[in-house]
Amino acid sequence: MKTKFTFKAFLTSLLLIPFLYLIIVVIPGIIITENDNTPLFPRIFIPSILIFSFLIVFGEVRTKCISATINKNEIVVKRFFGLQVKIYKFSEIEGWKYSHLTGNGGTYEYLYLYKDGTKVVKISQFYHKNYFKIKNHIQGNFKYLGYEKLSYTDEFKEIFK
């Protein structure tokens, strides 16, 4: 069983391109200027916002926009469009928890698989079309560890891990 991406997942990934373009092309133009009359605040603030926004979107893609394939005795997780592959044996997985994330677009459910007390796999209703099919399969194969209250602080920290 393999996860399938939603259209929103592709849009999030595509956002990386304009942010990277802005960082490479616009920031040097703002910082390196022949006009010394340009105020210092925009020369610092605009590049900082662009870089921070890029890091947030990059972290989202890295941690949540993943492809997971559940085989007979293992889970294969691909990040960065297959550039990083990790394999987890069923025996390594302690269990699963779920959480709800509410935003402007609605409320989405997230499922976390745990290994050694840490989240190793995040599967979400926002990024995956067949989320509930995957969730049903996971419910049948792994121990339920309970509901996890969403913490924006933890989500933010995981983006930069």
Side-chain angles (χ1 to χ4, degrees), residues 65-79:
C65 196
I66 64 166
S67 173
T69 305
I70 303 172
N71 298 323
K72 189 171 183 145
N73 294 320
E74 66 185 13
I75 298 174
V76 179
V77 178
K78 294 179 182 178
R79 299 178 197 281

Side-chain angles (χ1 to χ4, degrees), residues 32 36 46 48 72 94 101 107 115 131 134 150 161:
I32 304 167
D36 291 332
I46 292 172
S48 299
K72 189 171 183 145
E94 294 170 12
L101 182 108
T107 301
K115 175 187 173 188
Y131 170 78
I134 298 290
L150 178 74
K161 273 187 184 177

Side-chain angles (χ1 to χ4, degrees), residues 64 112 122 150-159:
K64 296 177 184 161
Y112 311 111
K122 289 183 184 181
L150 178 74
S151 167
Y152 286 105
T153 307
D154 289 343
E155 289 291 322
F156 189 71
K157 285 178 187 175
E158 288 174 12
I159 285 176

